[in-house]
């Protein structure tokens, strides 16, 4: 699942190829602009696509930048597997979002909380690595741990440790090595914060990284 900073970070840390998997076309266009190889999971089976691209070996590392907000494929060859797992996914949604406050297209929970976890384990190579930065609530109890263990995977996860990572990141920005402003797609006044959140939550076209301004 692509996040623009995640793609940039992967390249900066030495990745020769980066694959971005998503079901939102505008996000995939942005990823393509960063020289990532894109996979639309509503058109292709992402597991098969990555296996074909790596000659059946799998990728070296996976970044799960989604978490429980994951949506299963609504069309394409991977949709059938999602349908077969729909009952399990429904139980997971009941675990992580027993009470919801959906308002039209806003605040709608993901319909497949463990989807990215499953794809991550399936697509990474043996002895590969998975980094989880997507959000998983404490109520989430599903993970393909047996498959991960038998592939000898290394899995690291957690919320950002700002005290350790912020200083070196600021050094990169201050020295001009890395420019985070190029990822900003929207500037909105603080007075419009509610509408901005609503629009971003609906994943409307072009709304990827938003900065609220006070001027």
């Amino acid at each position: 699942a692509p996040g623009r900073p995640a793609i940039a970070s992967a390249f900066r840390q030495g990745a020769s190829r980066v694959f971005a998997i998503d079901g939102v076309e505008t996000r995939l266009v942005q990823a393509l602009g960063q020289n990532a190889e894109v996979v639309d999971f509503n058109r292709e089976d992402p597991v098969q696509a990555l296996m074909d691209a790596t000659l059946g070996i799998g990728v070296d590392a996976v970044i799960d930048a989604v978490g429980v907000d994951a949506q299963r494929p609504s069309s394409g060859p991977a949709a059938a597997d999602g349908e077969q797992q729909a009952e399990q996914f429904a139980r997971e949604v009941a675990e992580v979002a027993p009470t919801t406050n959906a308002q039209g297209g806003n605040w709608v929970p993901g319909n497949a909380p463990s989807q990215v976890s499953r794809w991550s384990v399936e697509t990474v190579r043996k002895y590969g690595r998975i980094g989880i930065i997507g959000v998983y609530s404490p109520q989430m109890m599903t993970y393909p741990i047996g498959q991960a263990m038998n592939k000898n995977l290394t899995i690291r996860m957690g919320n950002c440790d700002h005290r350790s990572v912020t200083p070196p990141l600021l050094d990169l920005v201050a020295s001009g090595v890395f420019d985070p402003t190029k990822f900003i797609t929207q500037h909105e006044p603080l007075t419009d914060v509610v509408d901005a959140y609503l629009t971003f939550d609906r994943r409307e076209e072009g709304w990827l990284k938003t900065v609220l301004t006070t001027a």
Side-chain angles (χ1 to χ4, degrees):
R4 297 183 72 193
I7 294 170
S9 297
F11 277 125
R12 172 155 184 79
Q13 293 184 64
S16 59
R17 302 174 71 184
V18 175
F19 299 90
I21 301 172
D22 206 316
V24 180
E25 185 174 355
T26 54
R27 294 175 180 268
L28 292 170
V29 169
Q30 294 281 353
L32 192 62
Q34 292 180 258
N35 297 318
E37 300 173 53
V38 301
V39 177
D40 184 343
F41 62 66
N42 288 315
R43 296 182 181 180
E44 300 180 74
D45 181 333
V47 176
Q48 188 62 49
L50 291 192
M51 285 302 170
D52 288 346
T54 59
L55 303 178
I57 297 172
V59 295
D60 293 325
V62 171
I63 300 173
D64 171 1
V66 182
V68 296
D69 283 335
Q71 298 284 343
R72 60 187 174 89
S74 59
S75 59
D81 286 341
E83 287 289 343
Q84 293 177 359
Q85 297 167 342
E87 186 175 337
Q88 172 64 41
F89 287 146
R91 289 195 294 268
E92 294 169 5
V93 174
E95 282 181 358
V96 301
T99 302
T100 62
N101 186 29
Q103 300 175 20
N106 286 113
W107 324 132
V108 179
N111 64 12
S114 68
Q115 181 67 89
V116 178
S117 296
R118 296 166 187 261
W119 282 344
S120 297
V121 173
E122 290 173 9
T123 56
V124 73
R125 65 172 175 81
K126 292 181 179 179
Y127 292 95
R129 294 164 288 133
I130 296 176
I132 304 174
I133 58 174
V135 176
Y136 288 91
S137 66
Q139 293 79 18
M140 182 68 179
M141 302 297 289
T142 302
Y143 194 85
I145 191 168
Q147 189 177 6
M149 188 277 291
N150 281 280
K151 292 181 76 172
N152 292 299
L153 303 184
T154 298
I155 303 172
R156 297 189 65 179
M157 68 194 82
N159 296 311
C160 181
D161 181 3
H162 295 91
R163 293 187 178 183
S164 66
V165 303
T166 300
L169 290 177
L170 287 176
D171 288 342
L172 289 176
V173 174
S175 64
V177 172
F178 186 76
D179 178 15
T181 61
K182 63 185 178 182
F183 299 125
I184 300 171
T185 56
Q186 305 291 334
H187 289 85
E188 297 295 320
L190 191 59
T191 52
D192 292 343
V193 62
V194 174
D195 288 337
Y197 267 104
L198 289 168
T199 305
F200 177 79
D201 181 62
R202 290 193 297 268
R203 294 165 174 79
E204 292 191 7
E205 184 172 352
W207 285 71
L208 297 176
K209 295 296 180 185
T210 303
V211 170
L212 298 173
T213 62
T214 57

mmCIF file of all heavy atoms in Angstrom, residues 3 16 27 39 52 56-57 69 82 89 108 120 132 143 149 163-165 170 179 182 193 206 214:
data_model
loop_
_atom_site.group_PDB
_atom_site.id
_atom_site.type_symbol
_atom_site.label_atom_id
_atom_site.label_comp_id
_atom_site.label_asym_id
_atom_site.label_seq_id
_atom_site.Cartn_x
_atom_site.Cartn_y
_atom_site.Cartn_z
ATOM 1 N N GLY A 3 2.366 4.919 0.409
ATOM 2 C CA GLY A 3 2.317 6.250 0.970
ATOM 3 C C GLY A 3 3.473 6.981 0.316
ATOM 4 O O GLY A 3 4.566 6.423 0.173
ATOM 5 N N SER A 16 15.954 -1.030 -5.083
ATOM 6 C CA SER A 16 16.129 -0.863 -6.529
ATOM 7 C C SER A 16 14.784 -0.817 -7.242
ATOM 8 O O SER A 16 14.660 -0.210 -8.316
ATOM 9 C CB SER A 16 16.980 -1.999 -7.103
ATOM 10 O OG SER A 16 16.378 -3.262 -6.844
ATOM 11 N N ARG A 27 -4.023 7.819 -6.308
ATOM 12 C CA ARG A 27 -2.854 7.482 -5.497
ATOM 13 C C ARG A 27 -1.829 6.712 -6.320
ATOM 14 O O ARG A 27 -0.619 6.897 -6.167
ATOM 15 C CB ARG A 27 -3.283 6.670 -4.272
ATOM 16 C CG ARG A 27 -4.141 7.446 -3.285
ATOM 17 C CD ARG A 27 -4.619 6.540 -2.158
ATOM 18 N NE ARG A 27 -5.438 7.253 -1.210
ATOM 19 C CZ ARG A 27 -4.986 7.859 -0.107
ATOM 20 N NH1 ARG A 27 -3.708 7.804 0.182
ATOM 21 N NH2 ARG A 27 -5.806 8.498 0.692
ATOM 22 N N VAL A 39 0.353 -1.368 -8.839
ATOM 23 C CA VAL A 39 -0.580 -2.474 -8.989
ATOM 24 C C VAL A 39 -1.925 -2.021 -8.438
ATOM 25 O O VAL A 39 -2.027 -1.657 -7.260
ATOM 26 C CB VAL A 39 -0.107 -3.735 -8.235
ATOM 27 C CG1 VAL A 39 -1.154 -4.844 -8.353
ATOM 28 C CG2 VAL A 39 1.241 -4.203 -8.759
ATOM 29 N N ASP A 52 4.887 -12.626 -10.125
ATOM 30 C CA ASP A 52 5.315 -12.593 -11.525
ATOM 31 C C ASP A 52 6.500 -11.640 -11.697
ATOM 32 O O ASP A 52 7.449 -11.937 -12.432
ATOM 33 C CB ASP A 52 4.157 -12.136 -12.415
ATOM 34 C CG ASP A 52 3.064 -13.188 -12.550
ATOM 35 O OD1 ASP A 52 3.318 -14.360 -12.191
ATOM 36 O OD2 ASP A 52 1.964 -12.834 -13.002
ATOM 37 N N GLY A 56 8.631 -15.390 -8.977
ATOM 38 C CA GLY A 56 8.145 -16.358 -8.003
ATOM 39 C C GLY A 56 8.836 -16.325 -6.659
ATOM 40 O O GLY A 56 8.515 -17.134 -5.786
ATOM 41 N N ILE A 57 9.777 -15.408 -6.472
ATOM 42 C CA ILE A 57 10.547 -15.364 -5.228
ATOM 43 C C ILE A 57 9.834 -14.550 -4.154
ATOM 44 O O ILE A 57 9.819 -14.906 -2.987
ATOM 45 C CB ILE A 57 11.947 -14.774 -5.480
ATOM 46 C CG1 ILE A 57 12.722 -15.691 -6.431
ATOM 47 C CG2 ILE A 57 12.712 -14.594 -4.175
ATOM 48 C CD1 ILE A 57 14.043 -15.108 -6.901
ATOM 49 N N ASP A 69 -7.843 -0.084 8.125
ATOM 50 C CA ASP A 69 -8.656 0.628 7.141
ATOM 51 C C ASP A 69 -8.679 -0.068 5.786
ATOM 52 O O ASP A 69 -9.284 0.439 4.838
ATOM 53 C CB ASP A 69 -8.133 2.053 6.950
ATOM 54 C CG ASP A 69 -8.532 2.970 8.095
ATOM 55 O OD1 ASP A 69 -9.545 2.685 8.756
ATOM 56 O OD2 ASP A 69 -7.813 3.961 8.340
ATOM 57 N N GLY A 82 -11.566 -12.354 -1.897
ATOM 58 C CA GLY A 82 -12.162 -11.485 -0.900
ATOM 59 C C GLY A 82 -13.559 -11.910 -0.526
ATOM 60 O O GLY A 82 -13.950 -11.856 0.647
ATOM 61 N N PHE A 89 -13.677 -11.447 7.425
ATOM 62 C CA PHE A 89 -13.476 -10.004 7.468
ATOM 63 C C PHE A 89 -14.573 -9.318 8.286
ATOM 64 O O PHE A 89 -14.302 -8.373 9.031
ATOM 65 C CB PHE A 89 -13.438 -9.424 6.056
ATOM 66 C CG PHE A 89 -12.186 -9.736 5.285
ATOM 67 C CD1 PHE A 89 -12.227 -9.931 3.912
ATOM 68 C CD2 PHE A 89 -10.954 -9.826 5.918
ATOM 69 C CE1 PHE A 89 -11.079 -10.206 3.193
ATOM 70 C CE2 PHE A 89 -9.791 -10.110 5.212
ATOM 71 C CZ PHE A 89 -9.862 -10.298 3.837
ATOM 72 N N VAL A 108 -16.181 5.622 7.485
ATOM 73 C CA VAL A 108 -16.554 4.241 7.154
ATOM 74 C C VAL A 108 -15.356 3.333 7.439
ATOM 75 O O VAL A 108 -14.274 3.548 6.881
ATOM 76 C CB VAL A 108 -16.959 4.120 5.673
ATOM 77 C CG1 VAL A 108 -17.316 2.674 5.339
ATOM 78 C CG2 VAL A 108 -18.120 5.054 5.367
ATOM 79 N N SER A 120 0.762 -9.067 2.742
ATOM 80 C CA SER A 120 2.162 -8.827 3.094
ATOM 81 C C SER A 120 2.905 -10.143 3.279
ATOM 82 O O SER A 120 4.004 -10.340 2.735
ATOM 83 C CB SER A 120 2.251 -7.997 4.379
ATOM 84 O OG SER A 120 1.691 -6.719 4.223
ATOM 85 N N ILE A 132 5.345 -2.719 9.758
ATOM 86 C CA ILE A 132 3.941 -2.317 9.893
ATOM 87 C C ILE A 132 3.869 -0.935 10.515
ATOM 88 O O ILE A 132 4.212 -0.752 11.688
ATOM 89 C CB ILE A 132 3.145 -3.319 10.748
ATOM 90 C CG1 ILE A 132 3.255 -4.736 10.159
ATOM 91 C CG2 ILE A 132 1.683 -2.892 10.851
ATOM 92 C CD1 ILE A 132 2.607 -5.812 11.025
ATOM 93 N N TYR A 143 -3.873 -12.338 12.639
ATOM 94 C CA TYR A 143 -2.646 -12.166 11.866
ATOM 95 C C TYR A 143 -2.195 -13.553 11.390
ATOM 96 O O TYR A 143 -2.260 -14.518 12.165
ATOM 97 C CB TYR A 143 -1.540 -11.517 12.698
ATOM 98 C CG TYR A 143 -0.394 -11.024 11.841
ATOM 99 C CD1 TYR A 143 -0.459 -9.769 11.258
ATOM 100 C CD2 TYR A 143 0.712 -11.826 11.572
ATOM 101 C CE1 TYR A 143 0.567 -9.309 10.441
ATOM 102 C CE2 TYR A 143 1.732 -11.384 10.751
ATOM 103 C CZ TYR A 143 1.654 -10.119 10.197
ATOM 104 O OH TYR A 143 2.660 -9.688 9.371
ATOM 105 N N MET A 149 5.725 -17.362 10.357
ATOM 106 C CA MET A 149 6.760 -18.102 11.069
ATOM 107 C C MET A 149 7.431 -19.127 10.160
ATOM 108 O O MET A 149 8.658 -19.275 10.158
ATOM 109 C CB MET A 149 6.151 -18.807 12.292
ATOM 110 C CG MET A 149 7.177 -19.450 13.221
ATOM 111 S SD MET A 149 7.746 -21.100 12.726
ATOM 112 C CE MET A 149 6.265 -22.058 13.003
ATOM 113 N N ARG A 163 11.092 10.630 19.123
ATOM 114 C CA ARG A 163 12.325 11.112 19.755
ATOM 115 C C ARG A 163 13.566 10.601 19.051
ATOM 116 O O ARG A 163 14.592 11.286 18.997
ATOM 117 C CB ARG A 163 12.346 10.704 21.225
ATOM 118 C CG ARG A 163 11.282 11.398 22.070
ATOM 119 C CD ARG A 163 11.457 11.077 23.538
ATOM 120 N NE ARG A 163 10.475 11.777 24.353
ATOM 121 C CZ ARG A 163 10.438 11.727 25.677
ATOM 122 N NH1 ARG A 163 11.343 10.998 26.340
ATOM 123 N NH2 ARG A 163 9.520 12.384 26.350
ATOM 124 N N SER A 164 13.499 9.406 18.505
ATOM 125 C CA SER A 164 14.688 8.843 17.865
ATOM 126 C C SER A 164 14.762 9.168 16.380
ATOM 127 O O SER A 164 15.857 9.328 15.827
ATOM 128 C CB SER A 164 14.736 7.323 18.066
ATOM 129 O OG SER A 164 13.666 6.691 17.388
ATOM 130 N N VAL A 165 13.616 9.275 15.705
ATOM 131 C CA VAL A 165 13.671 9.450 14.257
ATOM 132 C C VAL A 165 13.581 10.903 13.811
ATOM 133 O O VAL A 165 14.056 11.248 12.717
ATOM 134 C CB VAL A 165 12.546 8.645 13.552
ATOM 135 C CG1 VAL A 165 12.641 7.175 13.913
ATOM 136 C CG2 VAL A 165 11.168 9.187 13.881
ATOM 137 N N LEU A 170 15.080 15.721 10.459
ATOM 138 C CA LEU A 170 15.216 17.172 10.356
ATOM 139 C C LEU A 170 16.555 17.549 9.732
ATOM 140 O O LEU A 170 16.647 18.508 8.962
ATOM 141 C CB LEU A 170 15.080 17.815 11.739
ATOM 142 C CG LEU A 170 13.664 17.841 12.341
ATOM 143 C CD1 LEU A 170 13.691 18.416 13.752
ATOM 144 C CD2 LEU A 170 12.721 18.659 11.463
ATOM 145 N N ASP A 179 13.221 16.866 0.512
ATOM 146 C CA ASP A 179 12.254 17.960 0.504
ATOM 147 C C ASP A 179 10.848 17.411 0.727
ATOM 148 O O ASP A 179 10.229 16.886 -0.211
ATOM 149 C CB ASP A 179 12.321 18.709 -0.822
ATOM 150 C CG ASP A 179 11.301 19.842 -0.896
ATOM 151 O OD1 ASP A 179 10.761 20.226 0.163
ATOM 152 O OD2 ASP A 179 11.050 20.333 -2.004
ATOM 153 N N LYS A 182 7.290 18.639 -1.320
ATOM 154 C CA LYS A 182 6.810 18.177 -2.620
ATOM 155 C C LYS A 182 5.674 17.162 -2.492
ATOM 156 O O LYS A 182 4.997 16.861 -3.471
ATOM 157 C CB LYS A 182 7.961 17.561 -3.427
ATOM 158 C CG LYS A 182 8.584 16.326 -2.807
ATOM 159 C CD LYS A 182 9.797 15.870 -3.611
ATOM 160 C CE LYS A 182 10.469 14.666 -2.985
ATOM 161 N NZ LYS A 182 11.684 14.251 -3.739
ATOM 162 N N VAL A 193 -10.891 23.434 8.784
ATOM 163 C CA VAL A 193 -10.327 22.152 9.185
ATOM 164 C C VAL A 193 -11.351 21.019 9.132
ATOM 165 O O VAL A 193 -11.024 19.906 8.711
ATOM 166 C CB VAL A 193 -9.698 22.258 10.599
ATOM 167 C CG1 VAL A 193 -10.740 22.621 11.636
ATOM 168 C CG2 VAL A 193 -8.990 20.963 10.971
ATOM 169 N N GLY A 206 -6.911 13.914 -5.486
ATOM 170 C CA GLY A 206 -5.890 14.911 -5.226
ATOM 171 C C GLY A 206 -5.594 15.170 -3.767
ATOM 172 O O GLY A 206 -4.597 15.818 -3.445
ATOM 173 N N THR A 214 -2.414 28.978 9.153
ATOM 174 C CA THR A 214 -3.060 29.962 10.028
ATOM 175 C C THR A 214 -3.060 31.347 9.427
ATOM 176 O O THR A 214 -3.667 32.260 9.966
ATOM 177 C CB THR A 214 -2.329 30.015 11.387
ATOM 178 O OG1 THR A 214 -0.950 30.330 11.157
ATOM 179 C CG2 THR A 214 -2.470 28.704 12.110
#
